[in-house]
Short mmCIF file of all heavy atoms in Angstrom, two decimals:
data_model
loop_
_atom_site.label_atom_id
_atom_site.label_comp_id
_atom_site.label_asym_id
_atom_site.label_seq_id
_atom_site.Cartn_x
_atom_site.Cartn_y
_atom_site.Cartn_z
N MET P 217 0.84 -1.20 0.00
CA MET P 217 0.00 0.00 0.00
C MET P 217 0.87 1.24 0.00
O MET P 217 1.89 1.31 0.69
CB MET P 217 -0.89 -0.02 1.25
CG MET P 217 -1.93 1.08 1.27
SD MET P 217 -2.92 0.96 2.77
CE MET P 217 -3.50 2.64 2.85
N ALA P 218 0.48 2.21 -0.78
CA ALA P 218 1.26 3.45 -0.89
C ALA P 218 1.15 4.27 0.38
O ALA P 218 0.08 4.35 0.99
CB ALA P 218 0.78 4.26 -2.08
N VAL P 219 2.27 4.83 0.77
CA VAL P 219 2.33 5.65 1.99
C VAL P 219 2.83 7.03 1.59
O VAL P 219 3.78 7.13 0.80
CB VAL P 219 3.28 5.00 3.02
CG1 VAL P 219 3.55 5.93 4.18
CG2 VAL P 219 2.71 3.70 3.51
N PRO P 220 2.21 8.09 2.09
CA PRO P 220 2.67 9.43 1.73
C PRO P 220 4.10 9.68 2.19
O PRO P 220 4.48 9.31 3.30
CB PRO P 220 1.68 10.37 2.42
CG PRO P 220 0.78 9.53 3.22
CD PRO P 220 0.98 8.10 2.89
N LYS P 221 4.92 10.28 1.32
CA LYS P 221 6.33 10.52 1.63
C LYS P 221 6.49 11.67 2.60
O LYS P 221 7.35 11.64 3.48
CB LYS P 221 7.07 10.83 0.33
CG LYS P 221 8.58 10.72 0.45
CD LYS P 221 9.20 10.80 -0.93
CE LYS P 221 10.70 10.50 -0.83
NZ LYS P 221 11.30 10.52 -2.16
N ARG P 222 5.70 12.72 2.42
CA ARG P 222 5.78 13.90 3.28
C ARG P 222 4.39 14.21 3.83
O ARG P 222 3.40 14.14 3.10
CB ARG P 222 6.28 15.11 2.50
CG ARG P 222 7.77 15.04 2.17
CD ARG P 222 8.63 15.43 3.36
NE ARG P 222 10.05 15.34 3.01
CZ ARG P 222 10.79 14.24 3.17
NH1 ARG P 222 10.25 13.12 3.63
NH2 ARG P 222 12.06 14.24 2.84
N ARG P 223 4.37 14.54 5.10
CA ARG P 223 3.10 14.92 5.72
C ARG P 223 2.77 16.35 5.33
O ARG P 223 3.63 17.23 5.41
CB ARG P 223 3.24 14.81 7.23
CG ARG P 223 1.93 14.99 7.95
CD ARG P 223 2.10 14.72 9.44
NE ARG P 223 0.82 14.77 10.10
CZ ARG P 223 0.53 14.05 11.17
NH1 ARG P 223 1.44 13.24 11.69
NH2 ARG P 223 -0.63 14.15 11.73
N LYS P 224 1.51 16.56 4.93
CA LYS P 224 1.11 17.92 4.55
C LYS P 224 0.88 18.74 5.81
O LYS P 224 0.46 18.22 6.85
CB LYS P 224 -0.16 17.86 3.72
CG LYS P 224 0.11 17.28 2.34
CD LYS P 224 -0.73 17.92 1.27
CE LYS P 224 -0.27 17.47 -0.10
NZ LYS P 224 -1.32 16.74 -0.79
N SER P 225 1.15 20.04 5.70
CA SER P 225 1.03 20.92 6.86
C SER P 225 -0.43 21.12 7.24
O SER P 225 -1.34 20.82 6.46
CB SER P 225 1.66 22.27 6.54
OG SER P 225 0.92 22.91 5.53
N LYS P 226 -0.66 21.61 8.46
CA LYS P 226 -2.03 21.89 8.90
C LYS P 226 -2.68 22.93 8.01
O LYS P 226 -3.88 22.87 7.74
CB LYS P 226 -2.02 22.40 10.34
CG LYS P 226 -1.64 21.34 11.35
CD LYS P 226 -1.41 21.98 12.71
CE LYS P 226 -0.79 20.97 13.65
NZ LYS P 226 -0.26 21.61 14.86
N ALA P 227 -1.87 23.88 7.54
CA ALA P 227 -2.42 24.92 6.67
C ALA P 227 -2.91 24.32 5.36
O ALA P 227 -4.00 24.67 4.88
CB ALA P 227 -1.37 25.99 6.41
N MET P 228 -2.14 23.38 4.77
CA MET P 228 -2.56 22.75 3.53
C MET P 228 -3.79 21.88 3.75
O MET P 228 -4.69 21.83 2.91
CB MET P 228 -1.42 21.90 2.96
CG MET P 228 -0.27 22.71 2.38
SD MET P 228 -0.79 23.85 1.08
CE MET P 228 -1.22 22.69 -0.21
N ARG P 229 -3.83 21.18 4.88
CA ARG P 229 -4.99 20.35 5.20
C ARG P 229 -6.24 21.22 5.33
O ARG P 229 -7.29 20.92 4.75
CB ARG P 229 -4.74 19.61 6.51
CG ARG P 229 -5.88 18.73 6.96
CD ARG P 229 -5.80 18.44 8.44
NE ARG P 229 -5.91 19.68 9.21
CZ ARG P 229 -5.57 19.80 10.48
NH1 ARG P 229 -5.04 18.79 11.12
NH2 ARG P 229 -5.72 20.95 11.12
N ASP P 230 -6.14 22.32 6.09
CA ASP P 230 -7.29 23.19 6.29
C ASP P 230 -7.68 23.87 4.99
O ASP P 230 -8.86 24.10 4.73
CB ASP P 230 -6.96 24.24 7.37
CG ASP P 230 -6.74 23.59 8.73
OD1 ASP P 230 -7.11 22.40 8.88
OD2 ASP P 230 -6.20 24.24 9.62
N HIS P 231 -6.68 24.19 4.18
CA HIS P 231 -6.97 24.81 2.88
C HIS P 231 -7.78 23.85 2.02
O HIS P 231 -8.76 24.24 1.38
CB HIS P 231 -5.66 25.18 2.19
CG HIS P 231 -5.84 25.83 0.87
ND1 HIS P 231 -6.22 27.14 0.73
CD2 HIS P 231 -5.73 25.34 -0.39
CE1 HIS P 231 -6.32 27.43 -0.56
NE2 HIS P 231 -6.03 26.36 -1.25
N ARG P 232 -7.38 22.57 2.02
CA ARG P 232 -8.10 21.57 1.22
C ARG P 232 -9.52 21.42 1.74
O ARG P 232 -10.47 21.34 0.97
CB ARG P 232 -7.34 20.25 1.29
CG ARG P 232 -8.14 19.06 0.76
CD ARG P 232 -7.26 17.84 0.56
NE ARG P 232 -6.34 17.61 1.65
CZ ARG P 232 -6.65 16.99 2.80
NH1 ARG P 232 -7.88 16.55 3.00
NH2 ARG P 232 -5.74 16.82 3.73
N ARG P 233 -9.70 21.36 3.06
CA ARG P 233 -11.04 21.16 3.62
C ARG P 233 -11.93 22.38 3.44
O ARG P 233 -13.15 22.27 3.56
CB ARG P 233 -10.92 20.82 5.10
CG ARG P 233 -10.34 19.42 5.28
CD ARG P 233 -10.20 19.05 6.72
NE ARG P 233 -9.53 17.77 6.84
CZ ARG P 233 -9.19 17.22 7.99
NH1 ARG P 233 -9.46 17.83 9.13
NH2 ARG P 233 -8.59 16.07 8.02
N ALA P 234 -11.35 23.52 3.16
CA ALA P 234 -12.15 24.73 2.94
C ALA P 234 -12.58 24.85 1.49
O ALA P 234 -13.36 25.76 1.15
CB ALA P 234 -11.36 25.97 3.35
N GLN P 235 -12.12 23.94 0.60
CA GLN P 235 -12.39 24.07 -0.83
C GLN P 235 -13.86 23.92 -1.16
O GLN P 235 -14.33 24.46 -2.16
CB GLN P 235 -11.59 23.03 -1.62
CG GLN P 235 -10.10 23.26 -1.62
CD GLN P 235 -9.71 24.50 -2.39
OE1 GLN P 235 -10.33 24.81 -3.40
NE2 GLN P 235 -8.73 25.21 -1.91
N TRP P 236 -14.60 23.13 -0.36
CA TRP P 236 -15.99 22.85 -0.71
C TRP P 236 -16.82 24.12 -0.77
O TRP P 236 -17.82 24.18 -1.47
CB TRP P 236 -16.61 21.86 0.28
CG TRP P 236 -16.82 22.43 1.65
CD1 TRP P 236 -15.93 22.38 2.69
CD2 TRP P 236 -17.96 23.10 2.15
NE1 TRP P 236 -16.45 23.00 3.78
CE2 TRP P 236 -17.70 23.46 3.49
CE3 TRP P 236 -19.18 23.46 1.60
CZ2 TRP P 236 -18.63 24.16 4.27
CZ3 TRP P 236 -20.09 24.16 2.38
CH2 TRP P 236 -19.80 24.48 3.70
N MET P 237 -16.39 25.16 -0.02
CA MET P 237 -17.15 26.41 -0.04
C MET P 237 -17.17 27.02 -1.43
O MET P 237 -18.12 27.69 -1.81
CB MET P 237 -16.53 27.41 0.93
CG MET P 237 -16.74 27.05 2.36
SD MET P 237 -16.13 28.34 3.42
CE MET P 237 -15.74 27.38 4.86
N ARG P 238 -16.08 26.79 -2.20
CA ARG P 238 -16.02 27.34 -3.55
C ARG P 238 -16.95 26.58 -4.49
O ARG P 238 -17.40 27.12 -5.48
CB ARG P 238 -14.59 27.24 -4.10
CG ARG P 238 -13.60 28.08 -3.35
CD ARG P 238 -12.20 27.56 -3.60
NE ARG P 238 -11.24 28.14 -2.68
CZ ARG P 238 -10.48 29.17 -2.97
NH1 ARG P 238 -10.56 29.74 -4.15
NH2 ARG P 238 -9.63 29.64 -2.09
N SER P 239 -17.24 25.30 -4.20
CA SER P 239 -18.05 24.49 -5.11
C SER P 239 -19.54 24.71 -4.91
O SER P 239 -20.33 24.34 -5.77
CB SER P 239 -17.73 23.01 -4.90
OG SER P 239 -18.14 22.60 -3.62
N VAL P 240 -19.95 25.29 -3.76
CA VAL P 240 -21.37 25.53 -3.52
C VAL P 240 -21.79 26.74 -4.35
O VAL P 240 -21.22 27.81 -4.21
CB VAL P 240 -21.62 25.77 -2.02
CG1 VAL P 240 -23.08 26.14 -1.78
CG2 VAL P 240 -21.27 24.52 -1.23
N PRO P 241 -22.77 26.58 -5.24
CA PRO P 241 -23.17 27.71 -6.07
C PRO P 241 -23.92 28.76 -5.26
O PRO P 241 -24.62 28.44 -4.30
CB PRO P 241 -24.07 27.08 -7.14
CG PRO P 241 -24.58 25.84 -6.49
CD PRO P 241 -23.53 25.35 -5.55
N VAL P 242 -23.76 29.99 -5.67
CA VAL P 242 -24.47 31.09 -5.02
C VAL P 242 -25.93 31.02 -5.43
O VAL P 242 -26.21 30.89 -6.63
CB VAL P 242 -23.84 32.44 -5.44
CG1 VAL P 242 -24.59 33.60 -4.81
CG2 VAL P 242 -22.37 32.47 -5.06
N PRO P 243 -26.88 31.04 -4.49
CA PRO P 243 -28.29 30.97 -4.88
C PRO P 243 -28.70 32.17 -5.73
O PRO P 243 -28.35 33.30 -5.42
CB PRO P 243 -29.04 30.94 -3.55
CG PRO P 243 -28.07 31.38 -2.52
CD PRO P 243 -26.71 31.06 -3.03
N SER P 244 -29.41 31.86 -6.83
CA SER P 244 -29.80 32.91 -7.77
C SER P 244 -31.10 33.53 -7.29
O SER P 244 -32.17 32.95 -7.40
CB SER P 244 -29.96 32.32 -9.17
OG SER P 244 -30.90 31.26 -9.13
N VAL P 245 -30.98 34.71 -6.70
CA VAL P 245 -32.14 35.43 -6.20
C VAL P 245 -32.62 36.38 -7.27
O VAL P 245 -31.84 37.17 -7.81
CB VAL P 245 -31.79 36.19 -4.90
CG1 VAL P 245 -33.00 36.95 -4.39
CG2 VAL P 245 -31.28 35.23 -3.85
N THR P 246 -33.90 36.28 -7.61
CA THR P 246 -34.49 37.18 -8.59
C THR P 246 -35.68 37.90 -7.96
O THR P 246 -36.11 37.54 -6.87
CB THR P 246 -34.96 36.40 -9.83
OG1 THR P 246 -35.84 35.37 -9.40
CG2 THR P 246 -33.81 35.80 -10.60
N LEU P 247 -36.19 38.87 -8.67
CA LEU P 247 -37.36 39.58 -8.17
C LEU P 247 -38.62 38.92 -8.73
O LEU P 247 -38.66 38.54 -9.90
CB LEU P 247 -37.31 41.05 -8.59
CG LEU P 247 -36.27 41.91 -7.88
CD1 LEU P 247 -36.34 43.34 -8.41
CD2 LEU P 247 -36.46 41.91 -6.38
N CYS P 248 -39.63 38.80 -7.89
CA CYS P 248 -40.90 38.23 -8.35
C CYS P 248 -41.54 39.21 -9.33
O CYS P 248 -41.65 40.39 -9.04
CB CYS P 248 -41.81 38.01 -7.14
SG CYS P 248 -43.48 37.50 -7.58
N PRO P 249 -41.95 38.74 -10.53
CA PRO P 249 -42.55 39.66 -11.50
C PRO P 249 -43.92 40.17 -11.04
O PRO P 249 -44.43 41.13 -11.60
CB PRO P 249 -42.66 38.81 -12.77
CG PRO P 249 -42.65 37.40 -12.29
CD PRO P 249 -41.82 37.38 -11.04
N ARG P 250 -44.51 39.52 -10.06
CA ARG P 250 -45.86 39.88 -9.63
C ARG P 250 -45.83 40.89 -8.49
O ARG P 250 -46.55 41.87 -8.50
CB ARG P 250 -46.60 38.61 -9.21
CG ARG P 250 -48.07 38.81 -9.01
CD ARG P 250 -48.73 37.47 -8.68
NE ARG P 250 -50.09 37.69 -8.22
CZ ARG P 250 -51.13 37.83 -9.04
NH1 ARG P 250 -50.95 37.77 -10.33
NH2 ARG P 250 -52.34 38.03 -8.55
N CYS P 251 -45.00 40.60 -7.45
CA CYS P 251 -45.00 41.48 -6.28
C CYS P 251 -43.65 42.13 -6.05
O CYS P 251 -43.50 42.88 -5.10
CB CYS P 251 -45.42 40.69 -5.05
SG CYS P 251 -44.30 39.33 -4.62
N GLN P 252 -42.66 41.86 -6.92
CA GLN P 252 -41.33 42.49 -6.87
C GLN P 252 -40.56 42.14 -5.60
O GLN P 252 -39.60 42.81 -5.25
CB GLN P 252 -41.43 44.02 -7.00
CG GLN P 252 -42.16 44.47 -8.26
CD GLN P 252 -41.50 43.98 -9.54
OE1 GLN P 252 -40.29 43.97 -9.65
NE2 GLN P 252 -42.30 43.51 -10.48
N GLU P 253 -40.98 41.09 -4.90
CA GLU P 253 -40.23 40.64 -3.73
C GLU P 253 -39.09 39.74 -4.19
O GLU P 253 -39.24 39.01 -5.17
CB GLU P 253 -41.15 39.86 -2.78
CG GLU P 253 -42.09 40.73 -1.97
CD GLU P 253 -41.37 41.53 -0.90
OE1 GLU P 253 -40.56 40.94 -0.17
OE2 GLU P 253 -41.60 42.74 -0.82
N PRO P 254 -37.96 39.75 -3.51
CA PRO P 254 -36.87 38.83 -3.89
C PRO P 254 -37.26 37.38 -3.62
O PRO P 254 -37.82 37.06 -2.57
CB PRO P 254 -35.69 39.26 -3.02
CG PRO P 254 -36.30 40.05 -1.92
CD PRO P 254 -37.57 40.64 -2.42
N LYS P 255 -36.99 36.53 -4.61
CA LYS P 255 -37.32 35.10 -4.46
C LYS P 255 -36.24 34.29 -5.15
O LYS P 255 -35.48 34.81 -5.96
CB LYS P 255 -38.69 34.80 -5.04
CG LYS P 255 -38.76 34.81 -6.55
CD LYS P 255 -40.12 34.37 -7.03
CE LYS P 255 -40.11 33.99 -8.50
NZ LYS P 255 -39.32 32.77 -8.77
N LEU P 256 -36.18 33.00 -4.84
CA LEU P 256 -35.21 32.11 -5.48
C LEU P 256 -35.72 31.71 -6.86
O LEU P 256 -36.93 31.55 -7.06
CB LEU P 256 -35.01 30.85 -4.63
CG LEU P 256 -34.28 31.05 -3.30
CD1 LEU P 256 -34.31 29.76 -2.51
CD2 LEU P 256 -32.86 31.51 -3.53
N GLY P 257 -34.78 31.55 -7.80
CA GLY P 257 -35.15 31.16 -9.14
C GLY P 257 -35.77 29.78 -9.19
O GLY P 257 -35.37 28.89 -8.45
N HIS P 258 -36.74 29.56 -10.07
CA HIS P 258 -37.45 28.28 -10.25
C HIS P 258 -38.13 27.83 -8.97
O HIS P 258 -38.27 26.63 -8.72
CB HIS P 258 -36.50 27.18 -10.77
CG HIS P 258 -35.82 27.58 -12.04
ND1 HIS P 258 -34.50 27.99 -12.08
CD2 HIS P 258 -36.27 27.65 -13.31
CE1 HIS P 258 -34.18 28.27 -13.33
NE2 HIS P 258 -35.23 28.08 -14.09
N ARG P 259 -38.53 28.80 -8.13
CA ARG P 259 -39.24 28.46 -6.91
C ARG P 259 -40.51 29.32 -6.84
O ARG P 259 -40.56 30.42 -7.40
CB ARG P 259 -38.41 28.74 -5.66
CG ARG P 259 -37.15 27.91 -5.53
CD ARG P 259 -37.47 26.45 -5.25
NE ARG P 259 -36.26 25.71 -4.94
CZ ARG P 259 -35.41 25.25 -5.85
NH1 ARG P 259 -35.63 25.46 -7.14
NH2 ARG P 259 -34.35 24.58 -5.48
N VAL P 260 -41.51 28.81 -6.12
CA VAL P 260 -42.73 29.57 -5.91
C VAL P 260 -42.40 30.78 -5.03
O VAL P 260 -41.63 30.66 -4.07
CB VAL P 260 -43.79 28.68 -5.24
CG1 VAL P 260 -45.04 29.49 -4.92
CG2 VAL P 260 -44.14 27.52 -6.14
N CYS P 261 -42.97 31.93 -5.37
CA CYS P 261 -42.74 33.13 -4.56
C CYS P 261 -43.40 32.93 -3.20
O CYS P 261 -44.57 32.57 -3.12
CB CYS P 261 -43.32 34.34 -5.28
SG CYS P 261 -43.24 35.84 -4.30
N ALA P 262 -42.65 33.16 -2.13
CA ALA P 262 -43.17 32.96 -0.79
C ALA P 262 -44.11 34.09 -0.39
O ALA P 262 -44.88 33.95 0.56
CB ALA P 262 -42.02 32.86 0.22
N ASN P 263 -44.03 35.21 -1.09
CA ASN P 263 -44.83 36.36 -0.70
C ASN P 263 -46.24 36.28 -1.28
O ASN P 263 -47.22 36.47 -0.56
CB ASN P 263 -44.13 37.65 -1.16
CG ASN P 263 -44.80 38.89 -0.61
OD1 ASN P 263 -44.97 39.02 0.59
ND2 ASN P 263 -45.19 39.78 -1.48
N CYS P 264 -46.36 35.99 -2.60
CA CYS P 264 -47.68 36.00 -3.22
C CYS P 264 -48.14 34.59 -3.60
O CYS P 264 -49.29 34.41 -3.98
CB CYS P 264 -47.69 36.92 -4.44
SG CYS P 264 -46.58 36.40 -5.75
N GLY P 265 -47.26 33.59 -3.51
CA GLY P 265 -47.68 32.22 -3.80
C GLY P 265 -47.84 31.92 -5.27
O GLY P 265 -48.50 30.94 -5.62
N TYR P 266 -47.24 32.70 -6.13
CA TYR P 266 -47.38 32.49 -7.57
C TYR P 266 -46.08 31.95 -8.15
O TYR P 266 -44.99 32.33 -7.72
CB TYR P 266 -47.73 33.81 -8.28
CG TYR P 266 -49.22 34.01 -8.44
CD1 TYR P 266 -50.01 34.27 -7.32
CD2 TYR P 266 -49.83 33.94 -9.69
CE1 TYR P 266 -51.38 34.46 -7.45
CE2 TYR P 266 -51.19 34.13 -9.83
CZ TYR P 266 -51.96 34.39 -8.71
OH TYR P 266 -53.30 34.57 -8.85
N TYR P 267 -46.23 31.04 -9.12
CA TYR P 267 -45.10 30.62 -9.93
C TYR P 267 -45.47 30.89 -11.38
O TYR P 267 -46.49 30.38 -11.85
CB TYR P 267 -44.77 29.14 -9.72
CG TYR P 267 -43.58 28.71 -10.52
CD1 TYR P 267 -42.30 29.17 -10.18
CD2 TYR P 267 -43.72 27.90 -11.63
CE1 TYR P 267 -41.20 28.81 -10.92
CE2 TYR P 267 -42.62 27.53 -12.38
CZ TYR P 267 -41.36 27.99 -12.02
OH TYR P 267 -40.28 27.64 -12.77
N ARG P 268 -44.69 31.71 -12.08
CA ARG P 268 -45.03 32.22 -13.41
C ARG P 268 -46.40 32.91 -13.30
O ARG P 268 -46.56 33.84 -12.53
CB ARG P 268 -45.01 31.08 -14.45
CG ARG P 268 -43.75 30.26 -14.43
CD ARG P 268 -42.71 30.59 -15.47
NE ARG P 268 -43.16 30.72 -16.84
CZ ARG P 268 -42.88 29.85 -17.81
NH1 ARG P 268 -42.21 28.75 -17.56
NH2 ARG P 268 -43.23 30.09 -19.04
N ASP P 269 -47.43 32.41 -14.03
CA ASP P 269 -48.72 33.09 -14.00
C ASP P 269 -49.78 32.24 -13.30
O ASP P 269 -50.96 32.39 -13.55
CB ASP P 269 -49.16 33.44 -15.43
CG ASP P 269 -49.16 32.21 -16.33
OD1 ASP P 269 -48.66 31.15 -15.87
OD2 ASP P 269 -49.63 32.29 -17.46
N ARG P 270 -49.32 31.34 -12.42
CA ARG P 270 -50.23 30.36 -11.84
C ARG P 270 -50.18 30.50 -10.31
O ARG P 270 -49.10 30.60 -9.73
CB ARG P 270 -49.77 28.97 -12.26
CG ARG P 270 -50.71 27.86 -11.98
CD ARG P 270 -50.36 26.66 -12.87
NE ARG P 270 -48.97 26.21 -12.62
CZ ARG P 270 -48.68 25.29 -11.71
NH1 ARG P 270 -49.62 24.73 -11.00
NH2 ARG P 270 -47.44 24.91 -11.54
N ALA P 271 -51.34 30.48 -9.65
CA ALA P 271 -51.40 30.52 -8.19
C ALA P 271 -51.15 29.12 -7.66
O ALA P 271 -51.95 28.22 -7.89
CB ALA P 271 -52.75 31.04 -7.73
N VAL P 272 -50.04 28.93 -6.96
CA VAL P 272 -49.70 27.61 -6.42
C VAL P 272 -50.36 27.45 -5.05
O VAL P 272 -50.92 26.41 -4.74
CB VAL P 272 -48.19 27.44 -6.35
CG1 VAL P 272 -47.82 26.09 -5.75
CG2 VAL P 272 -47.57 27.57 -7.74
N PHE P 273 -50.31 28.48 -4.24
CA PHE P 273 -51.01 28.46 -2.98
C PHE P 273 -51.52 29.86 -2.70
O PHE P 273 -50.99 30.85 -3.19
CB PHE P 273 -50.14 27.95 -1.82
CG PHE P 273 -48.98 28.84 -1.49
CD1 PHE P 273 -49.12 29.88 -0.57
CD2 PHE P 273 -47.75 28.64 -2.08
CE1 PHE P 273 -48.05 30.70 -0.27
CE2 PHE P 273 -46.67 29.45 -1.77
CZ PHE P 273 -46.83 30.49 -0.86
N VAL P 274 -52.61 29.92 -1.96
CA VAL P 274 -53.22 31.21 -1.61
C VAL P 274 -52.72 31.60 -0.24
O VAL P 274 -52.81 30.82 0.72
CB VAL P 274 -54.76 31.11 -1.64
CG1 VAL P 274 -55.39 32.44 -1.25
CG2 VAL P 274 -55.25 30.66 -3.01
N LYS P 275 -52.15 32.79 -0.18
CA LYS P 275 -51.59 33.25 1.08
C LYS P 275 -52.72 33.59 2.05
O LYS P 275 -53.77 34.11 1.64
CB LYS P 275 -50.71 34.49 0.82
CG LYS P 275 -49.65 34.66 1.88
CD LYS P 275 -48.92 35.97 1.69
CE LYS P 275 -47.95 36.16 2.83
NZ LYS P 275 -47.50 37.54 2.89
N GLU P 276 -52.46 33.32 3.34
CA GLU P 276 -53.46 33.61 4.38
C GLU P 276 -53.65 35.12 4.50
O GLU P 276 -52.68 35.88 4.43
CB GLU P 276 -52.98 33.05 5.72
CG GLU P 276 -52.85 31.53 5.75
CD GLU P 276 -54.20 30.83 5.77
OE1 GLU P 276 -55.11 31.36 6.40
OE2 GLU P 276 -54.31 29.77 5.12
N ALA P 277 -54.90 35.54 4.68
CA ALA P 277 -55.18 36.97 4.85
C ALA P 277 -54.69 37.43 6.22
O ALA P 277 -54.83 36.72 7.21
CB ALA P 277 -56.69 37.20 4.73
N GLU P 278 -54.09 38.63 6.24
CA GLU P 278 -53.52 39.13 7.49
C GLU P 278 -54.52 40.04 8.20
O GLU P 278 -55.30 40.69 7.58
CB GLU P 278 -52.24 39.90 7.20
CG GLU P 278 -51.12 38.94 6.76
CD GLU P 278 -49.92 39.71 6.19
OE1 GLU P 278 -49.83 40.93 6.44
OE2 GLU P 278 -49.12 39.10 5.51
ZN1 LIG C 1477 -44.51 37.29 -5.56
#
């Protein structure tokens, strides 16, 4: 079995373990065309309950 010749430093180890943060995509926040509230792309708007031109759920009256 292969054995590493040199031990990597703690800084290199921590640098490698921090790499996953770069691979996580930034969530694409867009404005809802109906109520102009910020919402996630390809998701139902949490404010008005609409996706595209369709009512997915009716928001409770306040
Ligand atoms: Zn909306």
Side-chain angles (χ1 to χ4, degrees):
M217 187 180 158
V219 170
K221 196 170 187 178
R222 287 281 179 270
R223 188 174 186 149
K224 289 215 171 118
S225 65
K226 290 170 190 167
M228 288 303 291
R229 180 201 62 196
D230 295 346
H231 180 76
R232 167 168 43 82
R233 289 180 186 176
Q235 291 292 324
W236 69 269
M237 289 186 207
R238 295 159 192 262
S239 66
V240 175
V242 178
S244 56
V245 179
T246 54
L247 289 180
C248 173
R250 191 176 169 84
C251 62
Q252 304 301 320
E253 284 289 312
K255 73 175 197 67
L256 290 173
H258 304 103
R259 296 291 188 279
V260 176
C261 174
N263 189 55
C264 63
Y266 267 70
Y267 182 70
R268 309 261 311 250
D269 54 351
R270 191 160 59 91
V272 178
F273 66 88
V274 179
K275 205 187 175 195
E276 296 287 324
E278 290 168 17

